[in-house]
Each structure stands twice: as C-alpha cells, then as structure tokens.
Amino acid sequence: MAYVDILKNDVDTVFGTKFESRDGQKIPNTDDVKLSGGAVRVDAAFLYADLAGSSKLAQMCPWTTTAKIIRAYLACATRLIRAYDGEIRSFDGDRVMGVFMGKTPCTDAVMCAREIDWCNHNIIRPKATSHFKSIADNDITIKHCVGVDYGEARAVRAGIRNNNDLIWIGTAPSLAAKLSDIREHPYEVYVSSKVYNRMLSSQKTDSSGGNIWEKRTFTYAGADKSVYRTKTPLRP
C-alpha cells in the first residue's frame, strides 16, 4: 500500500470512530482511555504554567543556560501542582499542564498558580541573574504566566499504537492555555470567572482584606469573556 493510502486510511478510520464516553471519578491517565473510541468526561480545574521569552533566552544565552532555566521552572511548577494533588498531564516545551479535581479544585489550582508565581519572582529570577552571566549582562528578566479555568472536558487518546498521548477537549483546558499566553507583566496569574466565583474567599483578598484581583475582558473564540488577574504571589 502506498504511504498516501495509509494516511487516507488513518483519516477515514478516525473520522468513522464512534466515541464511547464515560464519566471519570478521577483524573485519567493514558491507560485509562481506550485508543480507539475511548473518552473520559471530567469536571476539573485546568492550570497551564508557561515560561515567557524562551526564544529570547535561546538567542542570547548558551543553550545550557536556557535548558537549566526551563528545567528549573518546570521543576518548581510540577512540584507545586503535585503538592496540591493535581496531576501532570502534559509537557509542551516550556509549558506544563496540571489538572485538579477533589473537593476544592479551583482554590487548589489558584493557590498553586500564585505559588508558582512566587517561586518565579523570588527564587528562579534572582538565582538566574546571580548564577548566569548571560542573564545579568543582557538584563533579562525571567517572566511567565499561569492560566486557570474550570469546567467540563473530555480526555481522548490521539496518535497511533505505541505512539500516542491524551488530548483534552473542552473550553476549560483551551481557555487556561490561552490565558497562560498573556504577557502583561507584573500580572502573571489569570483565572476565568468560573474559577473566581468558585474559589474560597481567602484567595480573593490579602492579609488586610483588600481585593487582590482585577477584572478584565479577554477575547476567546471571538467572544468577550470576563477574567481576573493578580500580581500578588503566594509564598509556598
């Protein structure tokens, strides 16, 4: 069979698949979802943490410096996601996705996001400046953004046998990813209105009772959505 025929057959097979969706009581991993036609529906908070400016790092710094900074950022984000009982379900270059369920998924995800922000401000950024000459000499500020949304999503498997992974279908993971792309330093944590309305009030104010969130309008899929941003990190 010519290779183009194999590709056409793959597309026909996928397009002809009938999904068998079931409700998930926990965050699924790859083995929990059938490769052909499997789907698991969850209600969860989705967090994307995205290191900003990695292309600038790659251009102005030795590759070893870039690699170490990306690894340090992902290590901190991953450890904090796990500390809040989130599950890591995707690494994509300098970005990581965490999924949260449980009793207070929105609060857990927001606390995690603010702690990732604290780590970047107070650990990664100063240590990178003091440790790497190329960072200090080029006046590079290590920036990032974390986006969080909550809602229904379905996990399905994509790829071919022995070469596949989960993909997440739904507004919540998509919007969280889009929010993590925002570059408006020093505001580096963004949450949807769904998340803001569901998180505990303790995450909405500072120690003096002042509101730490600012309401904004964000255009997603051609429609305006209300989102909230903060520049107040949380110490782990």
Side-chain angles (χ1 to χ4, degrees):
M1 181 183 293
Y3 211 79
V4 68
D5 294 327
I6 295 174
L7 299 176
K8 289 179 179 179
N9 184 67
D10 284 343
V11 172
D12 287 340
T13 299
V14 171
F15 283 2
T17 298
K18 292 183 179 180
F19 283 106
E20 298 176 6
S21 182
R22 63 177 178 83
D23 290 344
Q25 303 305 312
K26 64 183 182 69
I27 300 165
N29 57 39
T30 305
D31 293 338
D32 296 325
V33 184
K34 293 192 300 182
L35 178 57
S36 178
V40 177
R41 191 199 71 83
V42 297
D43 292 305
F46 292 83
L47 176 153
Y48 273 87
D50 190 350
L51 185 67
S54 56
S55 58
K56 182 179 180 181
L57 289 175
Q59 182 180 22
M60 305 188 73
C61 303
W63 73 265
T64 52
T65 298
T66 303
K68 289 175 182 179
I69 290 173
I70 293 174
R71 287 186 63 195
Y73 180 77
L74 294 178
C76 289
T78 299
R79 191 171 294 279
L80 289 170
I81 290 169
R82 294 298 297 125
Y84 280 97
D85 293 326
E87 296 287 348
I88 308 299
R89 286 297 178 265
S90 176
F91 286 101
D92 180 13
D94 55 8
R95 181 166 72 172
V96 60
M97 182 186 80
V99 188
F100 300 78
M101 292 181 70
K103 294 182 179 180
T104 56
C106 291
T107 298
D108 295 340
V110 169
M111 292 180 69
C112 179
R114 293 179 60 204
E115 289 186 10
I116 293 172
D117 194 30
W118 190 95
C119 283
N120 190 61
H121 279 267
N122 296 280
I123 301 177
I124 299 172
R125 184 181 297 169
K127 285 184 176 292
T129 301
S130 64
H131 195 84
F132 300 114
K133 187 175 185 296
S134 57
I135 296 294
D137 288 352
N138 291 293
D139 196 27
I140 296 174
T141 300
I142 308 299
K143 300 177 183 178
H144 77 128
C145 192
V146 186
V148 185
D149 192 17
Y150 174 85
E152 176 185 290
R154 284 177 171 80
V156 302
R157 281 169 74 175
I160 61 175
R161 191 169 301 280
N162 299 323
N163 292 274
N164 59 81
D165 203 353
L166 291 181
I167 59 172
W168 297 83
I169 312 301
T171 297
S174 178
L175 178 57
K178 292 295 185 184
L179 292 176
S180 74
D181 286 336
I182 297 175
R183 302 293 182 251
E184 294 181 4
H185 175 79
Y187 292 94
E188 294 181 318
V189 175
Y190 286 77
V191 305
S192 68
S193 58
K194 284 185 178 180
V195 172
Y196 183 83
N197 291 333
R198 284 172 171 77
M199 67 187 185
L200 297 178
S201 57
S202 60
Q203 289 303 302
K204 297 180 180 180
T205 58
D206 57 23
S207 58
S208 63
N211 183 23
I212 64 172
W213 295 90
E214 179 181 290
K215 189 175 182 179
R216 305 285 287 179
T217 298
F218 180 75
T219 301
Y220 170 79
D224 289 340
K225 288 184 174 291
S226 294
V227 301
Y228 293 79
R229 68 180 189 177
T230 184
K231 57 179 180 179
T232 307
L234 182 66
R235 183 187 177 95

